[in-house]
Amino acid sequence: MGLEKFKDRNVGIQQYKVVEHEAFPKSNAQKFARVMKRMVKGELFVGLWVTLRTMYQALFQDDMHTVKYPFEKLPISPRYRAIHEMLRLLESGHYRCIGCGLCEKICISDCIKIDTKYDENQRKEVTEYTINFGRCIFCGYCAEVCPELAIVHGGRYETSSQQRASFSIFEDMLTPIDALSSQKEYPGFGAVSPNADDNIKKTPLAY
Amino acid sequence: MSEITIKIDGREYKTQEGEYILNAARANDVFIPAICYLTRCSPTLACRICLVEADGKQVYACNAKVKEGMEVTVSTPNILKERRAIMEVYDVNHPLQCGVCDKSGECELQNYTLEIGVDSQSYSIPDTKRENTNWSSVLHYDAGLCIVCERCTTVCKDMIGDAAIKTGARGGEKLSKEAKDSMPKDAYAMWNKLQKSIIVPSNGTEHTNCSDCGECTAVCPVGALVSRDFVYSSNAWELERVPATCAHCSSGCQIYYEKKHTSIANPDEKIYRVTNEWNFVSLCGAGRFGYDFQNDVEGKDVEAFEQAINAFKKADTIKFNSAITNEEAFMLQLLKEKLGVKLINHDAKAFKDFLDSYSKASGSSLYGSDFREVMKSDFVISVGASLRNDNPNARYAFNNVQKMNKGAGLYFHPVGDMLVPTFGKSVEVFNHKVGQEEAVLYLILDLFGDKDKLPVQTKDYLASFHKTVKKTIKEKVMESVTSTVVDKETGESKEVTKKVPKMVDKEVEVDENGLVSILGGSDNFAETFEKMMKKKENFSLIIGEDLYFHPRARNLSRLVALIEDVCDMNLVMIPPRTNSLGVAMICNLDEEESGYIVGYNEHGHFRLGARGFSKLDIPALNQQEGTFVTMNKVVVPTNPALEYKGYELNDILNEFDIGLDETIDFTPKLARFDGFKDIEFDDLPNGYTNTGKENRGYIIDNISVEKQAVSVVEFNDSIVLEGEIAYRCNPQRQFNDFTDKSHQINEEFALYVSPSKAQTLEEEVEVEFDKDTTLKLKVVVDDRIDGDIVLVPDFKSHQNIYSIFGKDRYKTVTIKKG
């Protein structure tokens, strides 16, 4: 397609349809005549019939179109950024977070804090992890930077609370250990792209 | 050394003759990649990444010296290929969990991998299991992360002098033949070495026997060596760096306190570690690990403050030590002027007296040189300093001279030391008797002095020790031996004369130096000394605390002045404590304490202190700004790392109407004292330039004073101590109450003895100084001490050790069963 079409700025003669309508009433007598004509025509009952029919379908024929929030919720896009979730490793059940602190570093509203220590298994243990949801702007950088896909955005979007204590700590966000089997891999922000294998060079291994 | 011009990548740069290409480039802001090289240490040649082309030849920039007109190319296609291969090899089997590594964010392996653009790997080899180990109470070694650049071993040997770690066998698989054929040459050689080695303690055990200075953790480019306390506690990028000056000894090393909040629950700031500019300054264990000595107070204690004001009003004496800033010393001096109290400071008083007497004899206010000059010299002498304990930087300088300048050293000290002789082949140790320090200085005069410049009396006195004795020595002579040999082929017999070496006894006349034998030197010292003196041009003399605390300190100071005058030596003195030099220059100190004593960080009737067990709290040295005078005669600034909520000395001065708004307002006012300058605190720099030039504070000028005609007197044996002797000396890493408070420094307050002496002692003993003074101490073996003298530490001020020892550093004692 060429650009000629876009360069033609004469909008009046393009493929627009002109709506046919009566001439607007000019005198008061003409206006009065139009009102009277519409009243007698009974168009009001046409609209009323549509309403009654839908009401009948919803009440007696089980054809309801509204979502009963908060009892029902619509599915949201995987790319939606709601309250964070911390995932576990599927095999061991151990939390995926390695305590690298990249989420803390990248957080632009400075709401993530992490404490780590050297544990008895010579690993870096996360002793404390908090996100201050009062400050969080749900930008998704933490999920994107996480090298372990440990912190992701979940679907919980009701974030109002009466006190700060109800905002999450590590344990609240972590997949419950008994729900491990239902833990889903996150397809949203920071997830591995479907064609990731094509984009990396493989490292030779000697074992 | 003269200035020359070289060309790097076509641009002209000026540099010093004899400099390595790498250092010349760095000084001129030209980047040449290098991993294993450390400034001030010998080139290790482990990484080979600093490969450059100089005058058409490939050389290693860390190892090749610049020449006039040299043309250096940093990168050629071949060099780029080598560098890329080297970095790929470093990444082989290096764990990729950078997220959990403590070095992440300041890792040189990360940086160079990115800089050289390694985005794929072409090499591989099966990995070897390498275990994590703890080498000592502070050192943690993760062998899996180690790239064997050997910076740790190099710094430990060349700078620290412990040589406590070395490369050991890794047990890795051999490289394949294909690798050798297919790889760039230098990359292969580097990999071959890397695959064979790992770092291990050099004493063959699992633990290092060293001074725990932690310099190896500072120089490590990766996360292999980290202090045990810091492991996994914080990421590098979270820490805020506060440039400061170490508060523990008179070296006044530049350090950075690195701090952040304590934890999520506790927002108060905490120091996580101390780092240094390891290319230009080396820390000791106290500086690196003794940082958490802050005085945590809740707020201003009004009641205690009022008590303190009253105490000052009725005080006769203010007693303090030299672990204070110049500003505090100045304020104490102002209090003295206002209130007419006496100022008592044991360490600074002895040092000040020594300095005063020295300057009268020499005509200059301060000693003529500093430790940077000592580092450049090639012959260094240490008198009256227990180098290992008194001042780590003096020891590093002594060691560095041996390793880097092909130097020689003389170490005079009554306490035997196992470490000092290992610094170099040309180190001669004299373990003389206590009290013979004058004889030592006479020997130095005799060995190095220009005899014509000496006063006649001294010259004659020195000559009186020399005797010419006949001695039988074995000498090698070439002897001609004639023998008859029959030629096998022709059958002719021939006479052949050969020269054969033969040892014969020969009687020669030798000049015997009586001073050497008085000081317990070896019989063949004359020969050894002759060897030591070969090709030596630049001499240094380090004077230590033993000489200030000496019954004949005055005569010693005159002798020191005389040596500086006639021997052409760099003279340096080690001030006993952090800021003894500053205090000596600022305060008008008194001799004897009397009446009601206010102790400032010291023992007294009313105590102000930063150690927590005082009536009124004052800020510790990591909580206040101010300046110190280092042993290099530089006024250096220090900044507060942590908040302090209580009262400080300036508040007390304000009560007496002599205070200023801020403590640092006193800094320019120091100019009142000779040597100090009228410079605002905020204008004092605190850093190093790329060339390694110290850009910190300002240097105190040596002022010439009126020279008085003084004469040195002869020594005699009346002050020589015999029997059981105690020496006032701190263990390594302990200097004062503050190092003691730090949780990573655990050397206890005990009697330190040599292994042989320990066998004659119980586990706990009572040391009796006189009838009324005894100390009950645990016996701790320090296997680097030799001989029978026992060491009594003085780092706990409330033990009042300075008062027990008085004006001496050695005392005869009786050691009883505890």
Short mmCIF file of all heavy atoms in Angstrom, two decimals, chain B residues 786-816:
data_model
loop_
_atom_site.label_atom_id
_atom_site.label_comp_id
_atom_site.label_asym_id
_atom_site.label_seq_id
_atom_site.Cartn_x
_atom_site.Cartn_y
_atom_site.Cartn_z
N ASP B 786 59.98 -15.34 70.49
CA ASP B 786 61.07 -16.22 70.86
C ASP B 786 61.73 -15.63 72.11
O ASP B 786 61.74 -14.42 72.30
CB ASP B 786 62.07 -16.29 69.69
CG ASP B 786 63.07 -17.41 69.88
OD1 ASP B 786 62.72 -18.36 70.60
OD2 ASP B 786 64.16 -17.32 69.32
N GLY B 787 62.24 -16.48 72.95
CA GLY B 787 62.95 -15.99 74.13
C GLY B 787 62.08 -15.97 75.37
O GLY B 787 60.96 -16.46 75.37
N ASP B 788 62.63 -15.37 76.44
CA ASP B 788 62.00 -15.50 77.76
C ASP B 788 61.19 -14.29 78.20
O ASP B 788 60.52 -14.32 79.21
CB ASP B 788 63.09 -15.77 78.81
CG ASP B 788 63.53 -17.22 78.75
OD1 ASP B 788 62.76 -18.02 78.18
OD2 ASP B 788 64.63 -17.52 79.23
N ILE B 789 61.29 -13.18 77.46
CA ILE B 789 60.56 -11.99 77.88
C ILE B 789 59.06 -12.19 77.68
O ILE B 789 58.64 -12.72 76.64
CB ILE B 789 61.05 -10.76 77.09
CG1 ILE B 789 62.54 -10.53 77.39
CG2 ILE B 789 60.24 -9.52 77.43
CD1 ILE B 789 63.16 -9.40 76.65
N VAL B 790 58.26 -11.81 78.69
CA VAL B 790 56.81 -11.97 78.55
C VAL B 790 56.17 -10.64 78.19
O VAL B 790 56.66 -9.58 78.57
CB VAL B 790 56.19 -12.53 79.85
CG1 VAL B 790 56.69 -13.93 80.12
CG2 VAL B 790 56.45 -11.63 81.03
N LEU B 791 55.08 -10.70 77.45
CA LEU B 791 54.43 -9.48 76.96
C LEU B 791 53.15 -9.19 77.74
O LEU B 791 52.25 -10.01 77.78
CB LEU B 791 54.10 -9.64 75.48
CG LEU B 791 55.17 -9.21 74.46
CD1 LEU B 791 56.46 -9.96 74.68
CD2 LEU B 791 54.69 -9.47 73.04
N VAL B 792 53.08 -7.99 78.32
CA VAL B 792 51.87 -7.57 79.03
C VAL B 792 51.18 -6.51 78.19
O VAL B 792 51.76 -5.48 77.88
CB VAL B 792 52.23 -6.97 80.41
CG1 VAL B 792 50.97 -6.50 81.11
CG2 VAL B 792 52.96 -7.98 81.25
N PRO B 793 49.94 -6.77 77.76
CA PRO B 793 49.26 -5.80 76.90
C PRO B 793 48.79 -4.56 77.66
O PRO B 793 48.64 -4.61 78.89
CB PRO B 793 48.06 -6.56 76.35
CG PRO B 793 48.01 -7.86 77.05
CD PRO B 793 49.11 -7.94 78.03
N ASP B 794 48.54 -3.47 76.95
CA ASP B 794 48.07 -2.24 77.62
C ASP B 794 46.80 -1.71 76.97
O ASP B 794 46.42 -0.57 77.18
CB ASP B 794 49.17 -1.17 77.61
CG ASP B 794 49.57 -0.76 76.21
OD1 ASP B 794 48.71 -0.80 75.33
OD2 ASP B 794 50.74 -0.42 76.00
N PHE B 795 46.12 -2.55 76.18
CA PHE B 795 44.98 -2.00 75.42
C PHE B 795 43.75 -1.73 76.26
O PHE B 795 42.86 -1.02 75.83
CB PHE B 795 44.66 -2.88 74.20
CG PHE B 795 44.25 -4.28 74.49
CD1 PHE B 795 42.94 -4.58 74.80
CD2 PHE B 795 45.18 -5.32 74.44
CE1 PHE B 795 42.55 -5.88 75.04
CE2 PHE B 795 44.78 -6.63 74.68
CZ PHE B 795 43.46 -6.91 74.99
N LYS B 796 43.67 -2.30 77.46
CA LYS B 796 42.51 -1.99 78.30
C LYS B 796 42.87 -0.83 79.22
O LYS B 796 43.68 -1.00 80.13
CB LYS B 796 42.12 -3.21 79.12
CG LYS B 796 41.41 -4.24 78.31
CD LYS B 796 40.73 -5.28 79.17
CE LYS B 796 39.96 -6.18 78.23
NZ LYS B 796 39.16 -7.18 78.81
N SER B 797 42.22 0.33 79.01
CA SER B 797 42.65 1.50 79.78
C SER B 797 42.35 1.35 81.26
O SER B 797 43.09 1.86 82.10
CB SER B 797 42.00 2.76 79.21
OG SER B 797 40.61 2.71 79.43
N HIS B 798 41.29 0.64 81.62
CA HIS B 798 40.97 0.58 83.05
C HIS B 798 41.93 -0.32 83.82
O HIS B 798 41.94 -0.33 85.04
CB HIS B 798 39.51 0.15 83.26
CG HIS B 798 39.23 -1.27 82.91
ND1 HIS B 798 38.83 -1.65 81.67
CD2 HIS B 798 39.30 -2.41 83.65
CE1 HIS B 798 38.65 -2.97 81.64
NE2 HIS B 798 38.93 -3.45 82.83
N GLN B 799 42.79 -1.07 83.12
CA GLN B 799 43.81 -1.86 83.82
C GLN B 799 44.99 -0.98 84.22
O GLN B 799 45.87 -1.43 84.98
CB GLN B 799 44.32 -2.99 82.91
CG GLN B 799 43.27 -4.03 82.56
CD GLN B 799 43.07 -5.07 83.65
OE1 GLN B 799 43.68 -4.98 84.70
NE2 GLN B 799 42.20 -6.02 83.39
N ASN B 800 45.02 0.25 83.66
CA ASN B 800 46.03 1.22 84.06
C ASN B 800 47.47 0.74 83.92
O ASN B 800 48.32 0.98 84.77
CB ASN B 800 45.77 1.60 85.53
CG ASN B 800 45.91 3.09 85.71
OD1 ASN B 800 46.27 3.81 84.77
ND2 ASN B 800 45.65 3.56 86.91
N ILE B 801 47.74 0.05 82.83
CA ILE B 801 49.05 -0.58 82.64
C ILE B 801 50.16 0.48 82.49
O ILE B 801 51.27 0.30 82.98
CB ILE B 801 49.03 -1.50 81.40
CG1 ILE B 801 47.97 -2.58 81.55
CG2 ILE B 801 50.39 -2.12 81.14
CD1 ILE B 801 48.21 -3.56 82.65
N TYR B 802 49.82 1.61 81.86
CA TYR B 802 50.83 2.67 81.69
C TYR B 802 51.36 3.13 83.03
O TYR B 802 52.54 3.41 83.20
CB TYR B 802 50.24 3.86 80.93
CG TYR B 802 50.42 3.76 79.43
CD1 TYR B 802 49.43 3.25 78.62
CD2 TYR B 802 51.61 4.19 78.83
CE1 TYR B 802 49.59 3.16 77.26
CE2 TYR B 802 51.79 4.11 77.48
CZ TYR B 802 50.78 3.59 76.68
OH TYR B 802 50.96 3.51 75.33
N SER B 803 50.46 3.22 84.03
CA SER B 803 50.91 3.66 85.35
C SER B 803 51.79 2.61 86.00
O SER B 803 52.74 2.94 86.72
CB SER B 803 49.71 3.95 86.25
OG SER B 803 48.95 4.97 85.69
N ILE B 804 51.49 1.35 85.76
CA ILE B 804 52.31 0.29 86.36
C ILE B 804 53.72 0.33 85.79
O ILE B 804 54.70 0.26 86.51
CB ILE B 804 51.67 -1.10 86.11
CG1 ILE B 804 50.32 -1.21 86.82
CG2 ILE B 804 52.61 -2.21 86.55
CD1 ILE B 804 49.55 -2.46 86.51
N PHE B 805 53.82 0.50 84.48
CA PHE B 805 55.14 0.51 83.85
C PHE B 805 55.85 1.86 84.00
O PHE B 805 57.07 1.93 83.91
CB PHE B 805 55.02 0.14 82.37
CG PHE B 805 54.98 -1.34 82.12
CD1 PHE B 805 53.79 -2.03 82.19
CD2 PHE B 805 56.14 -2.04 81.85
CE1 PHE B 805 53.74 -3.39 81.98
CE2 PHE B 805 56.10 -3.41 81.63
CZ PHE B 805 54.89 -4.10 81.70
N GLY B 806 55.05 2.91 84.21
CA GLY B 806 55.66 4.23 84.41
C GLY B 806 56.44 4.68 83.21
O GLY B 806 55.94 4.64 82.10
N LYS B 807 57.67 5.09 83.42
CA LYS B 807 58.43 5.66 82.32
C LYS B 807 59.27 4.63 81.58
O LYS B 807 60.17 4.99 80.83
CB LYS B 807 59.33 6.77 82.85
CG LYS B 807 58.51 7.98 83.24
CD LYS B 807 59.40 9.16 83.46
CE LYS B 807 58.56 10.40 83.55
NZ LYS B 807 59.35 11.56 83.92
N ASP B 808 58.99 3.36 81.84
CA ASP B 808 59.74 2.32 81.14
C ASP B 808 58.79 1.46 80.35
O ASP B 808 57.59 1.46 80.59
CB ASP B 808 60.49 1.44 82.14
CG ASP B 808 61.45 2.24 82.97
OD1 ASP B 808 62.31 2.89 82.38
OD2 ASP B 808 61.30 2.23 84.21
N ARG B 809 59.36 0.73 79.42
CA ARG B 809 58.52 -0.22 78.70
C ARG B 809 58.85 -1.64 79.16
O ARG B 809 58.14 -2.57 78.84
CB ARG B 809 58.75 -0.07 77.20
CG ARG B 809 57.45 -0.24 76.44
CD ARG B 809 57.62 -0.21 74.96
NE ARG B 809 56.52 -0.97 74.36
CZ ARG B 809 56.36 -1.16 73.07
NH1 ARG B 809 57.23 -0.66 72.24
NH2 ARG B 809 55.35 -1.87 72.61
N TYR B 810 59.96 -1.76 79.87
CA TYR B 810 60.34 -3.07 80.38
C TYR B 810 60.39 -3.00 81.90
O TYR B 810 60.78 -1.99 82.48
CB TYR B 810 61.73 -3.47 79.89
CG TYR B 810 61.82 -3.67 78.40
CD1 TYR B 810 62.18 -2.62 77.56
CD2 TYR B 810 61.54 -4.90 77.83
CE1 TYR B 810 62.26 -2.79 76.20
CE2 TYR B 810 61.63 -5.09 76.47
CZ TYR B 810 61.99 -4.03 75.65
OH TYR B 810 62.08 -4.22 74.30
N LYS B 811 59.99 -4.07 82.55
CA LYS B 811 60.05 -4.12 84.01
C LYS B 811 60.50 -5.50 84.41
O LYS B 811 60.12 -6.49 83.78
CB LYS B 811 58.65 -3.89 84.60
CG LYS B 811 58.27 -2.44 84.72
CD LYS B 811 58.57 -1.94 86.12
CE LYS B 811 58.13 -0.50 86.22
NZ LYS B 811 59.06 0.38 86.82
N THR B 812 61.28 -5.55 85.49
CA THR B 812 61.57 -6.88 86.03
C THR B 812 60.38 -7.27 86.90
O THR B 812 59.86 -6.46 87.67
CB THR B 812 62.85 -6.88 86.88
OG1 THR B 812 62.82 -5.74 87.71
CG2 THR B 812 64.08 -6.86 86.03
N VAL B 813 59.97 -8.49 86.77
CA VAL B 813 58.78 -8.95 87.49
C VAL B 813 59.05 -10.32 88.10
O VAL B 813 60.07 -10.96 87.82
CB VAL B 813 57.57 -9.09 86.55
CG1 VAL B 813 57.10 -7.75 86.07
CG2 VAL B 813 57.89 -10.01 85.39
N THR B 814 58.16 -10.71 88.98
CA THR B 814 58.19 -12.08 89.48
C THR B 814 56.91 -12.73 88.99
O THR B 814 55.83 -12.18 89.16
CB THR B 814 58.18 -12.09 91.02
OG1 THR B 814 58.94 -10.96 91.46
CG2 THR B 814 58.75 -13.37 91.55
N ILE B 815 57.06 -13.87 88.39
CA ILE B 815 55.87 -14.57 87.91
C ILE B 815 55.58 -15.74 88.83
O ILE B 815 56.42 -16.61 89.04
CB ILE B 815 56.06 -15.05 86.46
CG1 ILE B 815 56.28 -13.84 85.55
CG2 ILE B 815 54.84 -15.84 85.99
CD1 ILE B 815 56.53 -14.17 84.13
N LYS B 816 54.40 -15.68 89.43
CA LYS B 816 54.01 -16.72 90.39
C LYS B 816 52.87 -17.53 89.82
O LYS B 816 52.18 -17.10 88.91
CB LYS B 816 53.54 -16.07 91.69
CG LYS B 816 54.62 -15.37 92.46
CD LYS B 816 53.98 -14.90 93.74
CE LYS B 816 54.74 -13.78 94.37
NZ LYS B 816 53.89 -13.00 95.23
#
